[in-house]
Amino acid sequence: MARYRHLPHALAGVHPRFKTPHRADVVVGIVVAAVAAVVDVRGAIGFSSFAVLLYYAIANASAWTLEPEGRRHQALGRK
């Protein structure tokens, strides 16, 4: 996403050996550590669970809008 300027371009660095976005991983780790140090852990866990469920709901809803030609796999029960 940083490559396409949806995030700060400084986060676009990819590790040459492991092919992972190591800069973004470090930034996320720092943010999570800071939040865990300041916020009630139970509240953070609840918010995280809600955010994951919301993310999956949005991803599944957007998958329903794909035309059959745009799908990577056929829907179950269809030929």
Side-chain angles (χ1 to χ4, degrees):
M1 290 176 68
R3 228 181 277 165
Y4 300 113
R5 304 284 186 183
H6 296 291
L7 293 172
H9 190 66
L11 299 177
V14 176
H15 194 276
R17 179 176 172 202
F18 299 111
K19 307 291 188 226
T20 59
H22 62 286
R23 291 181 193 161
D25 288 343
V26 170
V27 170
V28 168
I30 291 169
V31 169
V32 168
V35 169
V38 175
V39 177
D40 176 39
V41 175
R42 289 182 188 170
I45 290 170
F47 177 75
S48 174
S49 298
F50 171 75
V52 168
L53 290 174
L54 181 64
Y55 169 78
Y56 283 129
I58 291 170
N60 283 311
S62 66
W64 284 339
T65 65
L66 289 175
E67 297 295 325
E69 300 85 34
R71 296 181 183 150
R72 294 180 80 184
H73 304 288
Q74 287 185 342
L76 294 176
R78 294 187 180 188
K79 293 185 179 186

